[in-house]
Amino acid sequence: MGCSVCRTRLNSGRALSRVPLPFTMLLLFIYLFHCLSGFCDTAPKITDRQNLMSHDIPGKVHAVRAERLWNGTGSAHYSALSEPLESDNGGGESGIPVSNTYGSKKFPQAIIIGVKKGGTRALLEFLRVHPDVRAVGAEPHFFDRFYHKGLEWYR
Ligand SMILES: Nc1ncnc2c1ncn2[C@@H]1O[C@H](COP(=O)(O)OS(=O)(=O)O)[C@@H](OP(=O)(O)O)[C@H]1O
């Protein structure tokens, strides 16, 4: 009697131990299908850009790109990104070619300007914490040191 109970428990234990693998595979398959359907797109889609770059202001400059992003829920929000920018259709609002392809070089759409020891690095680092912000690693010093190298160098 005792042994048959043990056997029953043992068998149900074995059966239970076989459940997780197919169940996990089923969940993975559903997730994969869900992603392939485009429902788990985490990368934001760009619908508009705001070029906040100014060429007239001297001083220390951090480049940040600001974009209006579509979050897939019917509303848009602005965020700042900071990699040098380029152009998608051969000409942006400023006449500078820009590209909306992630991974390509782009001009900044927002820049941080400040005097030396003004805390611009801290501001940049705080902005960088935001997941939608992509900031340059080192200060490019385009406007105060490398302006003569031109926009081709900048982007
Ligand atoms: N929130 C806040 N309040 C007060 N002070 C602050 C703040 N954030 C940054 N800091 C100080 O700013 C100094 C760095 O400024 P920068 O990033 O512009 O430095 S740098 O010019 O790029 O070297 C640096 O000062 P020092 O440590 O004296 O160099 C920082 O400590």
Side-chain angles (χ1 to χ4, degrees), residues 11-122:
N11 285 339
S12 66
R14 276 186 196 145
L16 280 175
S17 70
R18 284 190 208 118
V19 169
L21 182 63
F23 184 67
T24 307
M25 289 181 73
L26 181 69
L27 283 180
L28 283 174
F29 177 77
I30 292 169
Y31 179 72
L32 190 67
F33 183 75
H34 183 72
C35 284
L36 287 174
S37 314
F39 286 111
C40 58
D41 267 355
T42 52
K45 293 180 179 70
I46 299 162
T47 55
D48 195 13
R49 290 164 184 270
Q50 260 198 341
N51 192 353
L52 305 176
M53 193 168 66
S54 165
H55 297 264
D56 305 325
I57 308 165
K60 202 162 64 124
V61 175
H62 290 285
V64 180
R65 193 157 55 93
E67 293 186 343
R68 197 172 74 183
L69 305 172
W70 184 259
N71 62 15
T73 59
S75 63
H77 68 280
Y78 282 92
S79 70
L81 303 169
S82 111
E83 126 208 359
L85 73 99
E86 180 182 317
S87 146
D88 44 348
N89 51 10
E93 288 167 23
S94 60
I96 299 169
V98 288
S99 166
N100 64 0
T101 311
Y102 279 84
S104 63
K105 287 174 143 191
K106 292 167 185 167
F107 287 112
Q109 290 205 328
I111 53 180
I112 300 170
I113 302 169
V115 295
K116 204 159 176 55
K117 294 292 176 189
T120 51
R121 168 58 64 178

